[in-house]
Amino acid sequence: MPRISKKGQDMPESPIRKLVPFAENAYKQGKTVFHLNIGQPDIKTPQVALDAVKIHSLDILAYTRSEGSEAFREKLANYYANHSIPVKHDDIIVTTGGSEALLFAFGSITDIDDEVIIPEPFYANYNGFSTASGVKVVPVISKIEDNFALPPIEEFEKLITAKTKAILICNPGNPTGYLYSKEEIKKLAAIVKKHDLFLIADEVYREFAYDGISHYSILQEEGLENHAIVIDSVSKRYSMCGARIGCLVSKNKEVIKTALKFAQARLSPPTLAQIASEAALETPQSYFDDVIDEYVQRRNILIEELNKIEGVQVANPKGAFYCIAQLPIKNSDTFAQWLLESFDVNGETVMVAPAAGFYSTPGVGLNQIRIAYVLNKESLVKAVNILKEALKVYKD
Ligand SMILES: Cc1ncc(COP(=O)(O)O)c(C=O)c1O
């Protein structure tokens, strides 16, 4: 049989999806599974976006321009202006989800064996995108005791080599829920300018900033125009994960010119989904106010309930809809599997994401899990109670 590529063999499996067969078995046994493991919000997609797809008047579902439809990009520029982010439509390339924007960013700025420094724990697919691009992830550890704040800038400094091309952050963070402050962004801006690196910020959770703290985009930072690349998406903002629309935004013309070549190779982002996403930009502020209010209530309940469990340590998230919890166990991979295979409370169990998959340093985060608070409050309380009961009897 012809041989599979080394790159293909090295592609990491999703740390979340590998537990799916165990969840399916649990359903077969008639159990209810509360999914704390995925970032698929249960929030309704704005009606304007759904309606736009229903009432479109297209005769041909044609390609759009490779960089995305002009009308959509004009409105996106307007959206950014409303968030005090000064970009024009030609600083934006519409992509097939934030995922493709990440691939285009890596493709545009890195060569094989180049290095990208990423505070860990980080969004697990960064491992996949870097493997696909032949790039080495260099982790810098952020700690649960510090709520996963930006590690001291000297730690980054120590890791910079001739091969370093970029620092990548996720703000607010998946899986940490950490929201970087303006001061932290300024520290990162200074170091990338000093070493002439790119700063990539995955800001797909921009709207999800809590406790009255506002999100500070790297594109708001003056003097960073040639360094800053933002990854964005409609997936979480409008609960439109299935639309598969995101974008890459940069004031650096060379980055845009290069990313456009990658965009041209795949011809066009999805046309109908761009129509839906353009319409979604009309979503009233009241939608976000309600959504944020709901997530804050869920976070508060979740953290309060987790803190009641003996031996559990949890970082208090200020954004996105995830948190990392450290459990009094040795290995959360085995624990997550056991929960699905062998444990239930009155026929109900939970599925969690083992956190080791969000680290690239081996052996770190083994006793941690990521919880996504994408369930209603009642289900969240039940799910945490199941965790509590499970920890009373679990032995590893
Ligand atoms: C941090 C982060 N970045 C990027 C993505 C990719 O999102 P999409 O490709 O759906 O836009 C996700 C999805 O969960 C994410 O959590």
Side-chain angles (χ1 to χ4, degrees):
M1 194 171 84
R3 209 158 36 92
I4 294 298
S5 66
K6 163 96 173 52
K7 185 165 39 109
Q9 291 175 46
D10 288 348
M11 272 301 278
E13 229 187 352
S14 156
I16 302 162
R17 287 177 200 266
K18 68 184 178 193
L19 286 168
V20 168
F22 299 102
E24 276 163 5
N25 268 343
Y27 306 141
K28 277 189 203 140
Q29 290 167 28
K31 287 186 198 170
T32 301
V33 180
F34 291 110
H35 285 271
L36 298 177
N37 59 306
I38 39 166
Q40 169 62 60
D42 62 342
I43 304 286
K44 204 175 168 305
T45 304
Q47 197 58 42
V48 273
L50 298 172
D51 287 347
V53 178
K54 281 189 203 141
I55 59 170
H56 73 82
S57 55
L58 294 179
D59 294 323
I60 301 174
L61 200 46
Y63 293 127
T64 65
R65 293 171 62 164
S66 299
E67 58 269 53
S69 94
E70 190 89 352
F72 180 34
R73 288 187 306 137
E74 292 280 6
K75 286 194 188 152
L76 272 174
N78 201 29
Y79 156 87
Y80 287 115
N82 289 336
H83 287 76
S84 313
I85 297 171
V87 292
K88 299 207 177 70
H89 76 286
D90 54 6
D91 302 322
I92 302 170
I93 293 190
V94 177
T95 54
T96 309
S99 305
E100 193 181 58
L102 280 156
L103 272 172
F104 287 0
F106 279 0
S108 302
I109 65 166
T110 60
D111 287 309
I112 302 289
D113 291 336
D114 277 347
E115 296 171 1
V116 174
I117 302 175
I118 316 182
E120 67 176 358
F122 54 75
Y123 174 52
N125 284 330
Y126 294 161
N127 279 323
F129 300 132
S130 55
T131 305
S133 310
V135 169
K136 188 174 159 206
V137 168
V138 178
V140 47
I141 294 185
S142 63
K143 301 199 187 99
I144 196 164
E145 304 86 75
D146 304 330
N147 241 350
F148 297 109
L150 188 76
I153 214 72
E154 304 79 61
E155 297 298 317
F156 288 85
E157 198 71 65
K158 278 187 214 156
L159 297 171
I160 293 174
T161 70
K163 292 208 170 276
T164 310
K165 287 308 293 281
I167 294 174
L168 164 60
I169 57 163
C170 183
N171 188 29
N174 173 7
T176 62
Y178 188 77
L179 181 65
Y180 289 108
S181 66
K182 191 171 179 175
E183 290 66 38
E184 286 172 315
I185 298 294
K186 285 192 176 295
K187 282 185 194 169
L188 286 166
I191 193 173
V192 295
K193 280 196 273 184
K194 179 175 165 197
H195 294 276
D196 206 18
L197 306 174
F198 287 101
L199 180 59
I200 309 173
D202 180 337
E203 300 185 357
V204 306
Y205 297 96
R206 178 179 304 110
E207 269 76 9
F208 304 91
Y210 311 136
D211 305 330
I213 313 170
S214 33
H215 177 266
Y216 186 66
S217 171
I218 60 166
L219 289 169
Q220 285 172 279
E221 181 62 21
E222 264 176 49
L224 205 60
E225 290 76 9
N226 282 333
H227 303 264
I229 302 175
V230 160
I231 306 300
D232 216 338
S233 170
V234 304
S235 289
K236 316 290 160 147
R237 179 169 309 140
Y238 306 111
S239 197
M240 284 174 66
C241 294
R244 310 310 305 130
I245 292 290
C247 60
L248 179 151
V249 192
S250 181
K251 300 289 288 178
N252 180 323
K253 299 278 176 226
E254 286 300 310
V255 167
I256 292 295
K257 200 169 118 193
T258 312
L260 179 58
K261 292 191 275 180
F262 287 88
Q264 285 166 348
R266 63 80 167 106
L267 306 176
S268 162
T271 300
L272 268 184
Q274 285 183 81
I275 292 174
S277 304
E278 187 181 326
L281 289 165
E282 308 293 329
T283 305
Q285 183 55 37
S286 57
Y287 171 91
F288 292 106
D289 294 343
D290 291 348
V291 171
I292 301 300
D293 186 48
E294 175 66 23
Y295 277 123
V296 168
Q297 288 186 39
R298 289 177 183 188
R299 177 205 57 180
N300 292 350
I301 284 183
L302 175 71
I303 302 298
E304 193 182 316
E305 294 301 310
L306 284 170
N307 275 328
K308 286 184 194 159
I309 311 177
E310 217 186 306
V312 171
Q313 183 179 2
V314 60
N316 197 356
K318 298 283 181 197
F321 34 73
Y322 307 97
C323 75
I324 294 271
Q326 191 157 291
L327 309 180
I329 56 168
K330 290 200 187 80
N331 187 320
S332 60
D333 246 318
T334 337
F335 177 64
Q337 187 176 326
W338 173 84
L339 281 170
L340 293 168
E341 272 190 316
S342 314
F343 187 77
D344 66 275
V345 175
N346 302 326
E348 295 179 333
T349 191
V350 285
M351 185 165 174
V352 295
F358 300 100
Y359 289 86
S360 72
T361 307
V364 181
L366 286 179
N367 59 350
Q368 298 176 355
I369 55 169
R370 185 196 70 174
I371 295 178
Y373 41 102
V374 290
L375 304 179
N376 63 47
K377 284 164 274 188
E378 197 188 318
S379 303
L380 270 181
V381 172
K382 273 192 180 178
V384 179
N385 182 54
I386 294 167
L387 270 183
K388 182 167 108 193
E389 295 304 318
L391 287 167
K392 283 184 192 161
V393 293
Y394 182 70
K395 306 233 174 326
D396 63 354

